[in-house]
Amino acid sequence: MLLDALRADEELVEWLRRLEESEGAPGAEARLPDASDLPDILLDLAVPYEDVNDLVALRRTLADDEGATRLLGQCVDGLVRDLGKIGKGLKILPFPPESGPLGRYFPVFVFVAALPYVRAYHRERGIPDDVSRRALADLGRGLVLYRRRYGVGGLMAPTWFSLHFHGELFQLGRLQFQRTRLGGREGVAPAASGLALGPGEPCLDLHIPDYAGPLTPQACDRSLALARDFFPRHFPEERYTAACCHSWLLDPQLKRYLPADSNIVRFQERFRVGCGNGDPEDDLPVRFVFGDPDLPVETLPRRTSLERAVGDHLRAGGHWYSGHGWFAW
């Protein structure tokens, strides 16, 4: 049974305990679509064809597991209870490999069962159907990334996709925008510059999804223009005065390897870098550029200028760091 595998993991035991404690009055109903309706819903979420049959077959496995069915209800209720409230949604954790196919795919069932509530929230906010669909269809990318790395079906980083299904993240053109609040450290630099923005204030975090085409200045300009219209229109009670980004793409060392007119360098130049992480994060560029953070450095390909930059820097004994940047909105 699924819960037996989860209880062997200390982090998940604590997560399950918090779920139990938060369970109170009857909440959102976790109802999965019938097996005949499930494929169309999965395809609307951009789930790859090779994962659809596995998910349809596992639906019966989930229904026959009483503990897993109860866990599904708890997760859906926790995810949609405070829809749209920044930082209030349940974070769906990844399950260990020992949990088998049902464990690897379980977050997908949570998001599918939460889908009617999320779409209702989007409609209530007046969010256009195409914007809603694109935000939620990012789920398919997580399945592609999982199979690319592990060679089997599952969902990569379900905690990340919890943001999509809690009304906190939207894709507008090339970039994704997360409704968030500045952390203490990240809020110091904007406040020191004279911007009326400090720790705890609303901020839009920019994210750069893969599989979305080149990060050209024109594509970024279009995304920013869409966001400047979208958030005042659909979240008028929130006033955003800055956009932020925390990413290895803001490591200034990249300028040593890439031409000044490269898309990444020009993206960096949009930001004022206020602080960064002092610890090396070499796994991030290796994961996002090559697909697997555990690849040996000596085997990294050199097919593109970015691959050469990331690999050559590491092979020379260097490290990569995340930078935190911002610009006035």
Side-chain angles (χ1 to χ4, degrees), residues 39-243:
D40 286 344
I41 292 171
L42 294 174
L43 293 176
D44 285 344
L45 294 172
V47 170
Y49 285 110
E50 58 194 321
D51 292 298
V52 170
N53 284 345
D54 288 345
L55 283 158
V56 172
L58 285 168
R59 185 196 180 286
R60 172 59 64 87
T61 305
L62 173 57
D64 290 342
D65 185 332
E66 184 178 344
T69 299
R70 181 165 183 246
L71 178 61
L72 178 74
Q74 292 171 325
C75 289
V76 171
D77 182 56
L79 184 62
V80 307
R81 186 181 305 147
D82 293 305
L83 263 177
K85 293 184 180 179
I86 295 173
K88 297 295 186 181
L90 174 71
K91 304 305 180 187
I92 309 298
L93 298 186
F95 292 173
E98 294 77 16
S99 61
L102 179 57
R104 298 196 307 266
Y105 279 119
F106 186 82
V108 177
F109 289 112
V110 174
F111 296 136
V112 168
L115 191 59
Y117 299 98
V118 183
R119 285 181 169 156
Y121 173 74
H122 286 179
R123 289 193 296 271
E124 177 185 319
R125 284 278 173 176
I127 294 169
D129 287 345
D130 61 332
V131 175
S132 175
R133 177 177 55 80
R134 290 190 191 104
L136 302 177
D138 195 36
L139 184 70
R141 184 170 59 94
L143 287 117
V144 170
L145 292 172
Y146 195 98
R147 190 176 292 275
R148 176 187 177 190
R149 180 173 176 185
Y150 298 109
V152 295
L155 182 66
M156 185 72 77
T159 300
W160 166 250
F161 292 101
S162 301
L163 296 170
H164 302 59
F165 286 79
H166 193 251
E168 296 184 58
L169 187 143
F170 297 91
Q171 180 147 351
L172 302 168
R174 179 63 182 84
L175 302 173
Q176 292 176 330
F177 297 83
Q178 178 188 349
R179 301 166 48 237
T180 187
R181 298 186 185 278
L182 274 184
R185 187 180 179 207
E186 291 82 4
V188 172
S193 72
L195 192 67
L197 180 71
E201 294 291 325
C203 180
L204 289 173
D205 264 3
L206 271 61
H207 301 283
I208 309 98
D210 38 16
Y211 302 123
L215 189 66
T216 64
Q218 295 80 9
C220 292
D221 287 343
R222 177 176 177 270
S223 281
L224 294 171
L226 290 170
R228 288 189 176 101
D229 176 72
F230 178 85
F231 289 100
R233 183 184 301 272
H234 302 292
F235 297 92
E237 72 280 14
E238 299 172 355
R239 182 172 180 266
Y240 293 101
T241 58

